[in-house]
Amino acid sequence: MPFKILFTFWFFLLGSAIGSFLNVLIYRLPRKESILFPPSHCPSCNHKLAPKDLFPIFSYIFLKGRCRYCGAKISIRYPLVEILTAIFFALSFWLYGWSFYCLKMLIFFSLLLPIFFIDLEHMLIPDVLSFTGLGLGLFLSLLEGKIYQSILGSIVFGGVLLLIYLGALFILKEEGMGQGDIKLGFLLGSFLGLKLSLLALFLSYILGGIISIFILLFKDKNLKTAIPFGPFLILGSFISLFWGESIISFYLSLFIK
Ligand SMILES: [Zn+2]
């Protein structure tokens, strides 16, 4: 037990460091900047950041959310991504221990968190993340002996989105969603398998619908707000992954006595 607590803490630290790297991806991938070069710098004054400026979570708190060199505000997204990743890593280890499933969850999260924030801000999903993710999803499933489930999930998740996309294009003459969402669907399906993919799709549309209604109600109607769909696909997939089996058995229990 004491070892488990120690390792959980270690996973928290590991997660915060990975989160720090995910922040680099979130900032640089949509700007087509190199991930490795140049070293981290302030986006406002370009001053190179010292290690003491880059310590996950704590640097933001000590600097009170401002750049040490020019005083520009640092986006709250930085500590948020670090703390979310740290908590997710710690929680995954606490729940699943040293297991293949735990590793799979950590990889899944590390792929989807940057996609979530990039799509939210820029309305795009970098292909490099979608394709790397699809490759990893298939590879991990192969190791798990679930490759057919993975391929099927991927084809159905991506395929349903592709059909909806084509339907909107031919019938409504507009792009209902971005092509990036379809590629994201292939990635999500490869991790979820067929059953959880279908549930995730269903949940994504419900979530998307609810949030869209709220935005329409509370925002200036003249302001045309486009909402990216990727974050909903990701939220729906996470709910499906963690609670999908319970949701499905609850739903079935309503009909089968
Ligand atoms: Zn600065």
Side-chain angles (χ1 to χ4, degrees):
M1 195 66 172
F3 271 119
K4 193 178 176 186
I5 293 169
L6 199 69
F7 278 125
T8 303
F9 182 64
W10 185 79
F11 268 82
F12 185 88
L13 295 181
L14 176 70
S16 71
I18 300 275
S20 184
F21 173 68
L22 298 182
N23 271 322
V24 175
L25 295 185
I26 293 168
Y27 185 81
R28 296 193 183 189
L29 279 181
R31 291 173 176 83
K32 308 231 181 300
E33 290 178 20
S34 156
I35 294 161
L36 299 174
F37 196 82
S40 295
H41 52 88
C42 166
S44 296
C45 66
N46 272 324
H47 196 292
K48 188 171 170 289
L49 299 181
K52 63 180 172 183
D53 303 321
L54 291 168
F55 202 82
I57 306 166
F58 290 102
S59 286
Y60 182 87
I61 298 169
F62 287 134
L63 294 169
K64 299 194 178 72
R66 290 187 178 277
C67 169
R68 186 195 300 278
Y69 309 98
C70 70
K73 267 191 102 157
I74 304 167
S75 165
I76 185 79
R77 193 188 65 222
Y78 288 89
L80 188 68
V81 163
E82 286 158 0
I83 198 123
L84 279 175
T85 313
I87 291 173
F88 188 87
F89 271 53
L91 208 61
S92 296
F93 177 75
W94 185 259
L95 293 173
Y96 308 117
W98 298 106
S99 63
F100 187 79
Y101 188 74
C102 180
L103 176 72
K104 192 173 165 179
M105 288 303 102
L106 300 187
I107 292 175
F108 191 60
F109 182 88
S110 306
L111 282 163
L112 293 181
L113 193 79
I115 295 179
F116 183 94
F117 282 102
I118 291 171
D119 199 19
L120 207 58
E121 188 181 353
H122 302 275
M123 303 275 294
L124 67 88
I125 299 171
D127 279 347
V128 60
L129 289 177
S130 303
F131 292 135
T132 310
L134 174 61
L136 280 169
L138 294 173
F139 177 68
L140 292 171
S141 306
L142 184 69
L143 296 179
E144 247 183 326
K146 291 181 182 169
I147 183 68
Y148 293 113
Q149 264 298 319
S150 175
I151 293 174
L152 205 58
S154 180
I155 290 173
V156 168
F157 205 137
V160 167
L161 292 176
L162 180 64
L163 285 178
I164 294 170
Y165 174 83
L166 291 175
L169 203 59
F170 285 117
I171 298 162
L172 307 171
K173 307 277 180 237
E174 62 176 52
E175 284 195 318
M177 63 181 132
Q179 293 177 13
D181 295 324
I182 301 165
K183 294 172 205 160
L184 173 62
F186 286 112
L187 149 63
L188 293 169
S190 74
F191 276 86
L192 292 175
L194 178 61
K195 191 171 61 174
L196 295 182
S197 285
L198 291 171
L199 180 66
L201 270 165
F202 177 72
L203 292 171
S204 306
Y205 275 94
I206 302 247
L207 281 171
I210 294 171
I211 303 288
S212 305
I213 289 168
F214 266 92
I215 290 176
L216 285 176
L217 283 177
F218 294 107
K219 265 219 160 159
D220 187 354
K221 289 188 183 63
N222 301 319
L223 213 101
K224 194 169 154 57
T225 32
I227 311 160
F229 192 46
F232 295 111
L233 290 171
I234 291 170
L235 285 177
S237 297
F238 266 97
I239 297 171
S240 177
L241 195 62
F242 288 107
W243 297 290
E245 297 293 345
S246 317
I247 294 172
I248 291 169
S249 51
F250 170 75
Y251 182 74
L252 291 178
S253 76
L254 297 176
F255 299 100
I256 303 158
K257 292 279 180 234

